[in-house]
Amino acid sequence: MKQSVNSIFAFLFVVVMSFNALAQEGNLSMSRYQLGSGDRISINVFGQSDLSMEVRLPDVGTINYPFMGEVKLVGLTLGEVEQLIYEGLKGDYLVNPSVSVTIIDYRPFFIDGEVKRPGGYPYQPGLSVNKAAALAGGYTERAARDKITIVREKDGTSRSFTVRVSDMIQPGDIITVNQRFF
């Protein structure tokens, strides 16, 4: 009896640790999220309303920020943007600025091909290919669910790859649901 109780506790420990690892992996992937054109962010500097703003990143990827001029944000993570603004404000203007950057809206993803309503849709964290297709009205009768491709831009280069319906998408992805042949 005592051995089975220890086995149960060991099993539960492994399960809890597995969930913890998955949660941390999800947080790490979002902490590595690189900003792109179309993302809407909020920059807050505690106690400095004139330095706080909400802005949608333009195609060029730069914004005009007070006391710093043009600042390129596309390709940076939220932590990198916070550090960049902190360093830019620290010194002459503020002694120890408290900077916080959050995403208000992610850039949209696009889905085309064999879905009922192809087009651009707002990204939401946790979207799989299947959920994205559901937002687009579902698959058509001719959809090849095993032949779905995504074009994703990273670090200025685009790459295309085949995905499964359960794979997660990212903001800015272009999903193509190919047609199957009978």
Side-chain angles (χ1 to χ4, degrees):
M1 175 78 171
K2 188 174 184 178
Q3 187 174 4
S4 66
V5 171
N6 287 339
S7 297
I8 291 171
F9 281 124
F11 173 75
L12 289 174
F13 178 76
V14 170
V15 169
V16 169
M17 294 308 289
S18 297
F19 280 126
N20 189 29
L22 287 173
Q24 287 178 351
E25 182 179 309
N27 290 340
L28 286 176
S29 66
M30 286 316 289
S31 70
R32 289 181 281 193
Y33 174 72
Q34 294 180 331
L35 294 172
S37 299
D39 285 333
R40 194 165 133 227
I41 62 171
S42 172
I43 301 171
N44 290 300
V45 180
F46 182 73
Q48 303 293 321
S49 61
D50 55 329
L51 297 176
S52 298
M53 65 172 56
E54 288 184 9
V55 63
R56 184 169 306 276
L57 298 181
D59 288 340
V60 293
T62 60
I63 64 166
N64 193 5
Y65 193 77
F67 302 106
M68 294 177 64
E70 286 217 5
V71 181
K72 183 178 180 188
L73 301 182
V74 167
L76 299 179
T77 65
L78 295 178
E80 290 169 336
V81 173
E82 287 174 355
Q83 187 64 31
L84 178 70
I85 293 172
Y86 172 84
E87 293 295 331
L89 295 177
K90 183 180 173 189
D92 293 338
Y93 188 69
L94 296 172
V95 177
N96 189 17
S98 178
V99 180
S100 170
V101 180
T102 57
I103 296 177
I104 298 171
D105 292 318
Y106 292 93
R107 60 190 177 272
F109 70 91
F110 301 88
I111 186 165
D112 65 0
E114 295 299 316
V115 291
K116 294 182 180 170
R117 290 189 313 269
Y121 292 90
Y123 175 80
Q124 305 162 22
L127 272 180
S128 66
V129 172
N130 223 17
K131 290 177 183 175
L135 287 174
Y139 298 104
T140 66
E141 304 79 38
R142 302 201 74 175
R145 296 180 192 197
D146 58 341
K147 293 183 182 170
I148 299 173
T149 57
I150 286 183
V151 175
R152 182 174 293 159
E153 187 172 317
K154 186 168 181 170
D155 299 326
T157 58
S158 294
R159 65 183 189 100
S160 177
F161 50 95
T162 303
V163 295
R164 297 182 311 263
V165 294
S166 61
D167 288 344
M168 303 307 277
I169 67 167
Q170 293 182 7
D173 280 355
I174 302 170
I175 307 163
T176 302
V177 180
N178 294 299
Q179 188 177 61
R180 66 182 161 103
F181 297 99
F182 296 96

